[in-house]
Amino acid sequence: MEQAELEKLRIHLLREEISENIGMQNVWMRMRLMFGKTTQLMLSSEPGEGMNIRFIIEMDSVRVKEEPYE
C-alpha cells in the first residue's frame, strides 16, 4: 500500500469516520470498547507488499477468564 493511502486510512480510523474500510473500523472500535481508549493501532506497509496491523493493549486492561476443560 502506498504511504499516502496508508496515512489516509490511519486518519479515518483515528477520527472514527465511516469509510470503505468498515471491517477494519469495526475491529478497531470493538478493541477500544473492550480494552479502553488507551488501545493503540499501528499500521505499516511497503508498496507492493501486504499490510501489518498491530494493536497495543495495556496489560491491566486484559482480563483472562479460565474455564475448566472437559
Side-chain angles (χ1 to χ4, degrees):
M1 179 178 277
E2 298 293 329
Q3 290 301 315
E5 292 177 75
L6 191 60
E7 191 59 31
K8 183 179 173 184
L9 178 58
R10 282 188 190 116
I11 291 169
H12 280 294
L13 292 173
L14 292 175
R15 291 184 181 167
E16 297 182 356
E17 295 176 351
I18 301 298
S19 68
E20 63 274 0
N21 300 300
I22 193 72
M24 187 179 295
Q25 187 175 26
N26 187 23
V27 170
W28 170 233
M29 292 175 82
R30 285 175 181 259
M31 295 290 283
R32 290 191 59 169
L33 283 172
M34 290 179 65
F35 301 110
K37 298 268 184 193
T38 59
T39 301
Q40 297 177 38
L41 172 71
M42 298 177 69
L43 304 174
S44 62
S45 180
E46 294 293 325
E49 300 289 325
M51 181 179 357
N52 292 314
I53 303 169
R54 180 180 296 181
F55 290 99
I56 300 174
I57 303 167
E58 286 188 9
M59 189 182 316
D60 295 340
S61 65
V62 177
R63 306 281 184 248
V64 177
K65 180 180 177 183
E66 294 185 28
E67 295 183 11
Y69 178 76
E70 294 180 23

Short mmCIF file of all heavy atoms in Angstrom, two decimals:
data_model
loop_
_atom_site.label_atom_id
_atom_site.label_comp_id
_atom_site.label_asym_id
_atom_site.label_seq_id
_atom_site.Cartn_x
_atom_site.Cartn_y
_atom_site.Cartn_z
N MET A 1 0.85 -1.17 0.00
CA MET A 1 0.00 0.00 0.00
C MET A 1 0.90 1.23 0.00
O MET A 1 1.89 1.29 0.72
CB MET A 1 -0.91 -0.03 1.24
CG MET A 1 -1.82 1.16 1.37
SD MET A 1 -2.91 1.07 2.81
CE MET A 1 -4.22 0.06 2.16
N GLU A 2 0.55 2.20 -0.80
CA GLU A 2 1.31 3.44 -0.87
C GLU A 2 1.16 4.22 0.44
O GLU A 2 0.14 4.12 1.12
CB GLU A 2 0.82 4.30 -2.04
CG GLU A 2 1.01 3.65 -3.40
CD GLU A 2 2.48 3.51 -3.77
OE1 GLU A 2 3.31 4.34 -3.35
OE2 GLU A 2 2.80 2.53 -4.48
N GLN A 3 2.18 4.99 0.78
CA GLN A 3 2.18 5.73 2.05
C GLN A 3 1.02 6.72 2.16
O GLN A 3 0.45 6.89 3.24
CB GLN A 3 3.51 6.46 2.23
CG GLN A 3 4.68 5.52 2.51
CD GLN A 3 4.46 4.69 3.76
OE1 GLN A 3 4.04 5.19 4.80
NE2 GLN A 3 4.73 3.40 3.65
N ALA A 4 0.64 7.36 1.07
CA ALA A 4 -0.48 8.31 1.10
C ALA A 4 -1.79 7.60 1.45
O ALA A 4 -2.59 8.10 2.24
CB ALA A 4 -0.61 9.03 -0.24
N GLU A 5 -2.01 6.41 0.88
CA GLU A 5 -3.21 5.63 1.18
C GLU A 5 -3.20 5.16 2.63
O GLU A 5 -4.23 5.17 3.30
CB GLU A 5 -3.29 4.41 0.26
CG GLU A 5 -3.56 4.73 -1.18
CD GLU A 5 -3.55 3.46 -2.00
OE1 GLU A 5 -4.54 2.70 -1.91
OE2 GLU A 5 -2.55 3.23 -2.70
N LEU A 6 -2.04 4.74 3.10
CA LEU A 6 -1.89 4.27 4.47
C LEU A 6 -2.19 5.40 5.46
O LEU A 6 -2.90 5.20 6.44
CB LEU A 6 -0.48 3.73 4.68
CG LEU A 6 -0.19 2.96 5.94
CD1 LEU A 6 -1.07 1.73 6.06
CD2 LEU A 6 1.28 2.55 5.98
N GLU A 7 -1.70 6.57 5.19
CA GLU A 7 -1.95 7.72 6.06
C GLU A 7 -3.43 8.11 6.05
O GLU A 7 -3.99 8.44 7.10
CB GLU A 7 -1.08 8.91 5.64
CG GLU A 7 -1.08 10.04 6.64
CD GLU A 7 -0.59 9.64 8.02
OE1 GLU A 7 0.26 8.73 8.14
OE2 GLU A 7 -1.07 10.23 9.00
N LYS A 8 -4.05 8.04 4.90
CA LYS A 8 -5.49 8.32 4.80
C LYS A 8 -6.29 7.34 5.65
O LYS A 8 -7.21 7.73 6.38
CB LYS A 8 -5.93 8.25 3.34
CG LYS A 8 -7.38 8.58 3.11
CD LYS A 8 -7.72 8.50 1.63
CE LYS A 8 -9.19 8.67 1.40
NZ LYS A 8 -9.56 8.50 0.01
N LEU A 9 -5.92 6.06 5.60
CA LEU A 9 -6.58 5.04 6.40
C LEU A 9 -6.39 5.30 7.89
O LEU A 9 -7.34 5.21 8.67
CB LEU A 9 -6.05 3.65 6.03
CG LEU A 9 -6.60 2.47 6.80
CD1 LEU A 9 -8.12 2.39 6.69
CD2 LEU A 9 -5.94 1.19 6.33
N ARG A 10 -5.17 5.64 8.30
CA ARG A 10 -4.90 5.96 9.71
C ARG A 10 -5.80 7.10 10.19
O ARG A 10 -6.37 7.03 11.28
CB ARG A 10 -3.44 6.37 9.89
CG ARG A 10 -2.48 5.26 9.92
CD ARG A 10 -1.08 5.79 10.29
NE ARG A 10 -0.09 4.77 10.09
CZ ARG A 10 0.90 4.83 9.21
NH1 ARG A 10 1.04 5.89 8.44
NH2 ARG A 10 1.76 3.85 9.09
N ILE A 11 -5.89 8.14 9.39
CA ILE A 11 -6.70 9.31 9.77
C ILE A 11 -8.16 8.92 9.90
O ILE A 11 -8.82 9.30 10.87
CB ILE A 11 -6.50 10.45 8.76
CG1 ILE A 11 -5.08 11.01 8.90
CG2 ILE A 11 -7.54 11.54 8.95
CD1 ILE A 11 -4.67 11.95 7.79
N HIS A 12 -8.69 8.15 8.97
CA HIS A 12 -10.09 7.72 9.04
C HIS A 12 -10.35 6.91 10.30
O HIS A 12 -11.35 7.11 10.97
CB HIS A 12 -10.48 6.89 7.81
CG HIS A 12 -10.78 7.71 6.61
ND1 HIS A 12 -11.85 8.55 6.52
CD2 HIS A 12 -10.14 7.79 5.41
CE1 HIS A 12 -11.87 9.14 5.35
NE2 HIS A 12 -10.83 8.70 4.66
N LEU A 13 -9.45 6.00 10.63
CA LEU A 13 -9.64 5.16 11.82
C LEU A 13 -9.54 5.98 13.10
O LEU A 13 -10.33 5.79 14.02
CB LEU A 13 -8.63 4.01 11.83
CG LEU A 13 -8.83 2.96 10.75
CD1 LEU A 13 -7.67 1.98 10.75
CD2 LEU A 13 -10.15 2.24 10.91
N LEU A 14 -8.59 6.88 13.18
CA LEU A 14 -8.43 7.69 14.39
C LEU A 14 -9.58 8.66 14.60
O LEU A 14 -9.96 8.95 15.73
CB LEU A 14 -7.09 8.43 14.36
CG LEU A 14 -5.86 7.53 14.47
CD1 LEU A 14 -4.59 8.34 14.32
CD2 LEU A 14 -5.86 6.77 15.79
N ARG A 15 -10.14 9.16 13.52
CA ARG A 15 -11.28 10.07 13.63
C ARG A 15 -12.61 9.33 13.76
O ARG A 15 -13.64 9.95 13.91
CB ARG A 15 -11.35 10.99 12.40
CG ARG A 15 -10.24 11.98 12.34
CD ARG A 15 -10.42 12.88 11.17
NE ARG A 15 -9.32 13.84 11.07
CZ ARG A 15 -9.10 14.58 10.01
NH1 ARG A 15 -9.87 14.48 8.95
NH2 ARG A 15 -8.10 15.40 9.99
N GLU A 16 -12.55 8.02 13.66
CA GLU A 16 -13.74 7.17 13.71
C GLU A 16 -14.76 7.59 12.65
O GLU A 16 -15.96 7.62 12.88
CB GLU A 16 -14.34 7.17 15.11
CG GLU A 16 -13.40 6.57 16.14
CD GLU A 16 -13.96 6.52 17.54
OE1 GLU A 16 -15.08 7.01 17.76
OE2 GLU A 16 -13.27 5.98 18.40
N GLU A 17 -14.23 7.91 11.47
CA GLU A 17 -15.09 8.27 10.34
C GLU A 17 -15.53 7.01 9.60
O GLU A 17 -14.79 6.05 9.49
CB GLU A 17 -14.33 9.16 9.35
CG GLU A 17 -13.94 10.49 9.91
CD GLU A 17 -13.12 11.31 8.92
OE1 GLU A 17 -12.71 10.77 7.87
OE2 GLU A 17 -12.88 12.49 9.20
N ILE A 18 -16.74 7.05 9.08
CA ILE A 18 -17.22 5.95 8.25
C ILE A 18 -16.49 6.01 6.91
O ILE A 18 -16.43 7.05 6.27
CB ILE A 18 -18.75 6.05 8.03
CG1 ILE A 18 -19.49 6.02 9.37
CG2 ILE A 18 -19.23 4.95 7.10
CD1 ILE A 18 -19.29 4.74 10.16
N SER A 19 -15.91 4.89 6.51
CA SER A 19 -15.20 4.84 5.24
C SER A 19 -15.45 3.49 4.59
O SER A 19 -16.20 2.67 5.11
CB SER A 19 -13.70 5.06 5.47
OG SER A 19 -13.15 3.97 6.17
N GLU A 20 -14.79 3.26 3.47
CA GLU A 20 -14.98 1.99 2.77
C GLU A 20 -14.32 0.83 3.51
O GLU A 20 -14.53 -0.32 3.17
CB GLU A 20 -14.45 2.09 1.34
CG GLU A 20 -12.98 2.35 1.22
CD GLU A 20 -12.58 3.82 1.28
OE1 GLU A 20 -13.45 4.69 1.41
OE2 GLU A 20 -11.38 4.09 1.18
N ASN A 21 -13.54 1.09 4.53
CA ASN A 21 -12.85 0.04 5.30
C ASN A 21 -13.65 -0.30 6.56
O ASN A 21 -13.11 -0.30 7.66
CB ASN A 21 -11.44 0.51 5.66
CG ASN A 21 -10.63 0.81 4.44
OD1 ASN A 21 -10.40 -0.07 3.62
ND2 ASN A 21 -10.22 2.04 4.28
N ILE A 22 -14.92 -0.62 6.39
CA ILE A 22 -15.82 -0.82 7.52
C ILE A 22 -15.39 -2.00 8.41
O ILE A 22 -15.54 -1.94 9.63
CB ILE A 22 -17.29 -0.98 7.04
CG1 ILE A 22 -18.25 -0.86 8.21
CG2 ILE A 22 -17.48 -2.28 6.29
CD1 ILE A 22 -18.39 0.52 8.75
N GLY A 23 -14.82 -3.05 7.84
CA GLY A 23 -14.38 -4.20 8.63
C GLY A 23 -13.27 -3.83 9.59
O GLY A 23 -13.31 -4.15 10.78
N MET A 24 -12.26 -3.13 9.10
CA MET A 24 -11.15 -2.72 9.95
C MET A 24 -11.63 -1.71 11.00
O MET A 24 -11.21 -1.76 12.15
CB MET A 24 -10.02 -2.11 9.11
CG MET A 24 -8.80 -1.82 9.93
SD MET A 24 -7.44 -1.14 8.97
CE MET A 24 -7.07 -2.50 7.89
N GLN A 25 -12.50 -0.82 10.58
CA GLN A 25 -13.04 0.16 11.51
C GLN A 25 -13.85 -0.51 12.62
O GLN A 25 -13.74 -0.14 13.79
CB GLN A 25 -13.91 1.17 10.77
CG GLN A 25 -14.36 2.31 11.65
CD GLN A 25 -15.11 3.35 10.86
OE1 GLN A 25 -15.70 3.05 9.83
NE2 GLN A 25 -15.09 4.56 11.34
N ASN A 26 -14.61 -1.53 12.28
CA ASN A 26 -15.40 -2.27 13.25
C ASN A 26 -14.49 -2.94 14.29
O ASN A 26 -14.74 -2.86 15.49
CB ASN A 26 -16.28 -3.30 12.55
CG ASN A 26 -17.24 -3.99 13.47
OD1 ASN A 26 -17.59 -3.48 14.53
ND2 ASN A 26 -17.67 -5.17 13.08
N VAL A 27 -13.43 -3.59 13.82
CA VAL A 27 -12.49 -4.24 14.73
C VAL A 27 -11.83 -3.20 15.64
O VAL A 27 -11.73 -3.39 16.85
CB VAL A 27 -11.41 -5.03 13.95
CG1 VAL A 27 -10.30 -5.50 14.86
CG2 VAL A 27 -12.06 -6.20 13.22
N TRP A 28 -11.40 -2.08 15.09
CA TRP A 28 -10.75 -1.02 15.85
C TRP A 28 -11.68 -0.48 16.94
O TRP A 28 -11.29 -0.34 18.10
CB TRP A 28 -10.30 0.08 14.91
CG TRP A 28 -9.84 1.35 15.54
CD1 TRP A 28 -10.30 2.60 15.26
CD2 TRP A 28 -8.81 1.53 16.52
NE1 TRP A 28 -9.63 3.53 16.01
CE2 TRP A 28 -8.71 2.89 16.81
CE3 TRP A 28 -7.98 0.65 17.20
CZ2 TRP A 28 -7.81 3.41 17.73
CZ3 TRP A 28 -7.09 1.17 18.13
CH2 TRP A 28 -7.00 2.52 18.38
N MET A 29 -12.93 -0.22 16.59
CA MET A 29 -13.88 0.32 17.57
C MET A 29 -14.18 -0.71 18.66
O MET A 29 -14.29 -0.37 19.83
CB MET A 29 -15.13 0.80 16.87
CG MET A 29 -14.87 2.03 16.00
SD MET A 29 -16.27 2.56 15.04
CE MET A 29 -17.14 3.50 16.30
N ARG A 30 -14.30 -1.98 18.30
CA ARG A 30 -14.54 -3.03 19.30
C ARG A 30 -13.35 -3.19 20.24
O ARG A 30 -13.52 -3.38 21.45
CB ARG A 30 -14.84 -4.36 18.62
CG ARG A 30 -16.22 -4.42 18.03
CD ARG A 30 -16.40 -5.73 17.26
NE ARG A 30 -17.71 -5.79 16.66
CZ ARG A 30 -18.73 -6.46 17.17
NH1 ARG A 30 -18.58 -7.15 18.28
NH2 ARG A 30 -19.90 -6.48 16.57
N MET A 31 -12.14 -3.11 19.71
CA MET A 31 -10.95 -3.19 20.55
C MET A 31 -10.94 -2.05 21.57
O MET A 31 -10.64 -2.25 22.74
CB MET A 31 -9.67 -3.14 19.70
CG MET A 31 -9.50 -4.32 18.78
SD MET A 31 -9.14 -5.85 19.62
CE MET A 31 -7.43 -5.61 20.01
N ARG A 32 -11.29 -0.85 21.12
CA ARG A 32 -11.32 0.29 22.04
C ARG A 32 -12.42 0.14 23.07
O ARG A 32 -12.24 0.53 24.23
CB ARG A 32 -11.47 1.58 21.25
CG ARG A 32 -10.20 1.87 20.47
CD ARG A 32 -10.17 3.22 19.91
NE ARG A 32 -10.29 4.18 20.99
CZ ARG A 32 -10.10 5.46 20.87
NH1 ARG A 32 -9.75 5.93 19.71
NH2 ARG A 32 -10.23 6.28 21.87
N LEU A 33 -13.56 -0.41 22.69
CA LEU A 33 -14.64 -0.63 23.65
C LEU A 33 -14.24 -1.68 24.70
O LEU A 33 -14.52 -1.52 25.88
CB LEU A 33 -15.91 -1.09 22.94
CG LEU A 33 -16.73 -0.03 22.24
CD1 LEU A 33 -17.84 -0.67 21.42
CD2 LEU A 33 -17.29 0.97 23.23
N MET A 34 -13.59 -2.75 24.25
CA MET A 34 -13.22 -3.83 25.16
C MET A 34 -12.03 -3.49 26.05
O MET A 34 -12.00 -3.85 27.22
CB MET A 34 -12.89 -5.10 24.36
CG MET A 34 -14.09 -5.74 23.71
SD MET A 34 -13.64 -7.20 22.77
CE MET A 34 -13.06 -8.28 24.06
N PHE A 35 -11.04 -2.79 25.51
CA PHE A 35 -9.78 -2.60 26.23
C PHE A 35 -9.48 -1.15 26.59
O PHE A 35 -8.45 -0.87 27.19
CB PHE A 35 -8.62 -3.19 25.42
CG PHE A 35 -8.79 -4.64 25.16
CD1 PHE A 35 -9.05 -5.12 23.88
CD2 PHE A 35 -8.70 -5.57 26.19
CE1 PHE A 35 -9.20 -6.47 23.64
CE2 PHE A 35 -8.86 -6.92 25.97
CZ PHE A 35 -9.11 -7.37 24.68
N GLY A 36 -10.36 -0.23 26.23
CA GLY A 36 -10.18 1.16 26.65
C GLY A 36 -9.57 2.06 25.58
O GLY A 36 -9.04 1.61 24.58
N LYS A 37 -9.67 3.35 25.87
CA LYS A 37 -9.22 4.37 24.92
C LYS A 37 -7.70 4.43 24.78
O LYS A 37 -7.19 5.08 23.88
CB LYS A 37 -9.73 5.75 25.36
CG LYS A 37 -11.23 5.86 25.39
CD LYS A 37 -11.74 6.38 24.09
CE LYS A 37 -13.25 6.58 24.21
NZ LYS A 37 -13.87 6.77 22.94
N THR A 38 -6.97 3.75 25.67
CA THR A 38 -5.51 3.76 25.55
C THR A 38 -5.01 2.74 24.54
O THR A 38 -3.82 2.73 24.22
CB THR A 38 -4.85 3.48 26.92
OG1 THR A 38 -5.30 2.21 27.40
CG2 THR A 38 -5.18 4.57 27.92
N THR A 39 -5.91 1.89 24.03
CA THR A 39 -5.53 0.92 22.99
C THR A 39 -5.01 1.67 21.78
O THR A 39 -5.57 2.68 21.37
CB THR A 39 -6.74 0.06 22.60
OG1 THR A 39 -7.21 -0.61 23.76
CG2 THR A 39 -6.39 -0.95 21.54
N GLN A 40 -3.93 1.18 21.21
CA GLN A 40 -3.32 1.84 20.05
C GLN A 40 -3.37 0.92 18.83
O GLN A 40 -3.33 -0.30 18.97
CB GLN A 40 -1.87 2.19 20.35
CG GLN A 40 -1.70 3.17 21.47
CD GLN A 40 -0.23 3.42 21.74
OE1 GLN A 40 0.59 3.48 20.81
NE2 GLN A 40 0.11 3.56 23.00
N LEU A 41 -3.43 1.52 17.68
CA LEU A 41 -3.43 0.82 16.40
C LEU A 41 -2.24 1.32 15.60
O LEU A 41 -2.06 2.53 15.45
CB LEU A 41 -4.73 1.11 15.65
CG LEU A 41 -4.82 0.62 14.22
CD1 LEU A 41 -4.93 -0.90 14.19
CD2 LEU A 41 -6.02 1.24 13.54
N MET A 42 -1.41 0.40 15.13
CA MET A 42 -0.27 0.77 14.30
C MET A 42 -0.38 0.05 12.97
O MET A 42 -0.56 -1.16 12.92
CB MET A 42 1.03 0.40 15.01
CG MET A 42 1.23 1.12 16.33
SD MET A 42 2.73 0.61 17.18
CE MET A 42 3.97 1.30 16.10
N LEU A 43 -0.31 0.81 11.89
CA LEU A 43 -0.38 0.27 10.54
C LEU A 43 0.96 0.52 9.85
O LEU A 43 1.53 1.60 9.96
CB LEU A 43 -1.48 0.95 9.74
CG LEU A 43 -2.88 0.93 10.32
CD1 LEU A 43 -3.80 1.79 9.47
CD2 LEU A 43 -3.40 -0.49 10.39
N SER A 44 1.45 -0.48 9.13
CA SER A 44 2.66 -0.29 8.33
C SER A 44 2.54 -1.11 7.06
O SER A 44 1.89 -2.15 7.05
CB SER A 44 3.91 -0.66 9.13
OG SER A 44 3.88 -2.02 9.49
N SER A 45 3.17 -0.61 6.01
CA SER A 45 3.10 -1.30 4.73
C SER A 45 4.21 -0.78 3.82
O SER A 45 4.63 0.37 3.93
CB SER A 45 1.74 -1.06 4.08
OG SER A 45 1.67 -1.72 2.83
N GLU A 46 4.65 -1.64 2.95
CA GLU A 46 5.59 -1.27 1.90
C GLU A 46 4.85 -1.41 0.57
O GLU A 46 4.04 -2.33 0.41
CB GLU A 46 6.82 -2.18 1.91
CG GLU A 46 7.67 -2.04 3.16
CD GLU A 46 8.34 -0.68 3.25
OE1 GLU A 46 8.71 -0.11 2.21
OE2 GLU A 46 8.49 -0.18 4.39
N PRO A 47 5.11 -0.51 -0.39
CA PRO A 47 4.44 -0.62 -1.69
C PRO A 47 4.63 -2.01 -2.30
O PRO A 47 5.73 -2.54 -2.30
CB PRO A 47 5.13 0.46 -2.53
CG PRO A 47 5.60 1.46 -1.52
CD PRO A 47 5.98 0.65 -0.31
N GLY A 48 3.54 -2.60 -2.75
CA GLY A 48 3.58 -3.92 -3.37
C GLY A 48 3.61 -5.07 -2.37
O GLY A 48 3.67 -6.22 -2.76
N GLU A 49 3.59 -4.77 -1.10
CA GLU A 49 3.62 -5.79 -0.05
C GLU A 49 2.29 -5.76 0.70
O GLU A 49 1.45 -4.91 0.48
CB GLU A 49 4.76 -5.50 0.94
CG GLU A 49 6.13 -5.50 0.33
CD GLU A 49 6.61 -6.89 -0.08
OE1 GLU A 49 6.28 -7.85 0.63
OE2 GLU A 49 7.31 -6.99 -1.10
N GLY A 50 2.12 -6.67 1.63
CA GLY A 50 0.93 -6.69 2.47
C GLY A 50 0.99 -5.59 3.53
O GLY A 50 1.92 -4.80 3.57
N MET A 51 -0.02 -5.58 4.38
CA MET A 51 -0.07 -4.58 5.44
C MET A 51 0.08 -5.27 6.79
O MET A 51 -0.49 -6.33 7.02
CB MET A 51 -1.41 -3.83 5.42
CG MET A 51 -1.48 -2.77 6.47
SD MET A 51 -2.97 -1.74 6.57
CE MET A 51 -4.00 -2.22 5.27
N ASN A 52 0.83 -4.66 7.69
CA ASN A 52 0.95 -5.13 9.07
C ASN A 52 0.05 -4.28 9.94
O ASN A 52 0.08 -3.05 9.86
CB ASN A 52 2.39 -5.01 9.57
CG ASN A 52 3.32 -5.95 8.86
OD1 ASN A 52 3.01 -7.12 8.69
ND2 ASN A 52 4.46 -5.45 8.44
N ILE A 53 -0.75 -4.94 10.76
CA ILE A 53 -1.63 -4.25 11.69
C ILE A 53 -1.26 -4.72 13.09
O ILE A 53 -1.26 -5.92 13.36
CB ILE A 53 -3.11 -4.57 11.41
CG1 ILE A 53 -3.45 -4.21 9.97
CG2 ILE A 53 -4.01 -3.85 12.40
CD1 ILE A 53 -4.79 -4.72 9.51
N ARG A 54 -0.97 -3.78 13.96
CA ARG A 54 -0.57 -4.13 15.33
C ARG A 54 -1.45 -3.35 16.31
O ARG A 54 -1.61 -2.15 16.19
CB ARG A 54 0.88 -3.76 15.56
CG ARG A 54 1.37 -4.08 16.96
CD ARG A 54 2.79 -3.70 17.13
NE ARG A 54 3.60 -4.52 16.23
CZ ARG A 54 4.91 -4.45 16.17
NH1 ARG A 54 5.58 -3.62 16.93
NH2 ARG A 54 5.57 -5.22 15.33
N PHE A 55 -2.03 -4.09 17.26
CA PHE A 55 -2.80 -3.47 18.33
C PHE A 55 -1.95 -3.51 19.58
O PHE A 55 -1.37 -4.54 19.92
CB PHE A 55 -4.11 -4.24 18.59
CG PHE A 55 -5.10 -4.11 17.50
CD1 PHE A 55 -5.24 -5.10 16.55
CD2 PHE A 55 -5.91 -2.99 17.40
CE1 PHE A 55 -6.16 -4.99 15.53
CE2 PHE A 55 -6.84 -2.86 16.39
CZ PHE A 55 -6.96 -3.87 15.45
N ILE A 56 -1.88 -2.39 20.28
CA ILE A 56 -1.15 -2.33 21.54
C ILE A 56 -2.18 -2.11 22.64
O ILE A 56 -2.93 -1.13 22.62
CB ILE A 56 -0.10 -1.21 21.53
CG1 ILE A 56 0.88 -1.47 20.39
CG2 ILE A 56 0.59 -1.10 22.88
CD1 ILE A 56 1.87 -0.37 20.16
N ILE A 57 -2.23 -3.06 23.57
CA ILE A 57 -3.23 -3.06 24.64
C ILE A 57 -2.50 -3.05 25.97
O ILE A 57 -1.59 -3.86 26.19
CB ILE A 57 -4.12 -4.32 24.55
CG1 ILE A 57 -4.77 -4.40 23.17
CG2 ILE A 57 -5.15 -4.33 25.66
CD1 ILE A 57 -5.41 -5.73 22.88
N GLU A 58 -2.90 -2.15 26.88
CA GLU A 58 -2.29 -2.13 28.20
C GLU A 58 -2.58 -3.44 28.93
O GLU A 58 -3.71 -3.93 28.89
CB GLU A 58 -2.83 -0.96 29.01
CG GLU A 58 -2.29 0.37 28.57
CD GLU A 58 -2.69 1.49 29.50
OE1 GLU A 58 -3.25 1.23 30.59
OE2 GLU A 58 -2.44 2.64 29.14
N MET A 59 -1.58 -3.97 29.60
CA MET A 59 -1.71 -5.24 30.28
C MET A 59 -2.83 -5.22 31.32
O MET A 59 -3.55 -6.20 31.48
CB MET A 59 -0.39 -5.62 30.95
CG MET A 59 -0.40 -7.03 31.50
SD MET A 59 1.10 -7.54 32.36
CE MET A 59 2.40 -6.96 31.32
N ASP A 60 -3.00 -4.11 32.02
CA ASP A 60 -4.02 -4.02 33.06
C ASP A 60 -5.45 -4.11 32.53
O ASP A 60 -6.37 -4.41 33.28
CB ASP A 60 -3.87 -2.72 33.85
CG ASP A 60 -2.56 -2.67 34.62
OD1 ASP A 60 -1.97 -3.75 34.86
OD2 ASP A 60 -2.14 -1.57 34.99
N SER A 61 -5.64 -3.85 31.25
CA SER A 61 -7.00 -3.86 30.69
C SER A 61 -7.42 -5.24 30.17
O SER A 61 -8.56 -5.43 29.78
CB SER A 61 -7.12 -2.83 29.57
OG SER A 61 -6.30 -3.17 28.49
N VAL A 62 -6.50 -6.21 30.19
CA VAL A 62 -6.80 -7.55 29.70
C VAL A 62 -7.20 -8.45 30.87
O VAL A 62 -6.49 -8.56 31.85
CB VAL A 62 -5.58 -8.16 28.97
CG1 VAL A 62 -5.88 -9.58 28.51
CG2 VAL A 62 -5.18 -7.29 27.79
N ARG A 63 -8.36 -9.06 30.75
CA ARG A 63 -8.85 -9.99 31.76
C ARG A 63 -8.96 -11.37 31.12
O ARG A 63 -9.57 -11.52 30.07
CB ARG A 63 -10.23 -9.57 32.27
CG ARG A 63 -10.31 -8.16 32.79
CD ARG A 63 -9.74 -8.07 34.20
NE ARG A 63 -9.91 -6.74 34.71
CZ ARG A 63 -8.92 -5.91 34.94
NH1 ARG A 63 -7.68 -6.25 34.69
NH2 ARG A 63 -9.14 -4.70 35.42
N VAL A 64 -8.40 -12.38 31.77
CA VAL A 64 -8.44 -13.73 31.25
C VAL A 64 -9.44 -14.52 32.08
O VAL A 64 -9.37 -14.54 33.30
CB VAL A 64 -7.05 -14.40 31.33
CG1 VAL A 64 -7.13 -15.84 30.85
CG2 VAL A 64 -6.05 -13.61 30.53
N LYS A 65 -10.37 -15.14 31.41
CA LYS A 65 -11.36 -15.98 32.08
C LYS A 65 -11.02 -17.42 31.77
O LYS A 65 -11.05 -17.84 30.62
CB LYS A 65 -12.78 -15.66 31.59
CG LYS A 65 -13.84 -16.49 32.24
CD LYS A 65 -15.22 -16.14 31.72
CE LYS A 65 -16.26 -17.03 32.33
NZ LYS A 65 -17.59 -16.77 31.79
N GLU A 66 -10.66 -18.14 32.79
CA GLU A 66 -10.31 -19.54 32.61
C GLU A 66 -11.54 -20.40 32.84
O GLU A 66 -12.29 -20.20 33.79
CB GLU A 66 -9.21 -19.95 33.58
CG GLU A 66 -7.91 -19.25 33.28
CD GLU A 66 -6.79 -19.74 34.16
OE1 GLU A 66 -6.84 -20.92 34.59
OE2 GLU A 66 -5.86 -18.98 34.40
N GLU A 67 -11.75 -21.35 31.95
CA GLU A 67 -12.86 -22.28 32.07
C GLU A 67 -12.29 -23.68 32.11
O GLU A 67 -11.31 -23.99 31.44
CB GLU A 67 -13.83 -22.12 30.90
CG GLU A 67 -14.50 -20.76 30.89
CD GLU A 67 -15.51 -20.63 29.77
OE1 GLU A 67 -15.84 -21.65 29.13
OE2 GLU A 67 -15.98 -19.52 29.53
N PRO A 68 -12.89 -24.56 32.93
CA PRO A 68 -12.38 -25.92 33.01
C PRO A 68 -12.53 -26.67 31.68
O PRO A 68 -13.51 -26.48 30.96
CB PRO A 68 -13.23 -26.57 34.11
CG PRO A 68 -14.44 -25.72 34.22
CD PRO A 68 -14.06 -24.35 33.76
N TYR A 69 -11.54 -27.47 31.39
CA TYR A 69 -11.57 -28.27 30.17
C TYR A 69 -12.20 -29.61 30.50
O TYR A 69 -11.88 -30.25 31.49
CB TYR A 69 -10.13 -28.48 29.65
CG TYR A 69 -10.08 -29.35 28.43
CD1 TYR A 69 -10.44 -28.84 27.20
CD2 TYR A 69 -9.66 -30.66 28.50
CE1 TYR A 69 -10.39 -29.64 26.07
CE2 TYR A 69 -9.60 -31.47 27.38
CZ TYR A 69 -9.98 -30.95 26.16
OH TYR A 69 -9.92 -31.71 25.05
N GLU A 70 -13.14 -30.01 29.68
CA GLU A 70 -13.82 -31.29 29.91
C GLU A 70 -13.38 -32.34 28.93
O GLU A 70 -13.19 -32.14 27.81
CB GLU A 70 -15.33 -31.12 29.82
CG GLU A 70 -15.84 -30.23 30.94
CD GLU A 70 -17.35 -30.06 30.86
OE1 GLU A 70 -18.02 -30.90 30.27
OE2 GLU A 70 -17.82 -29.06 31.39
#
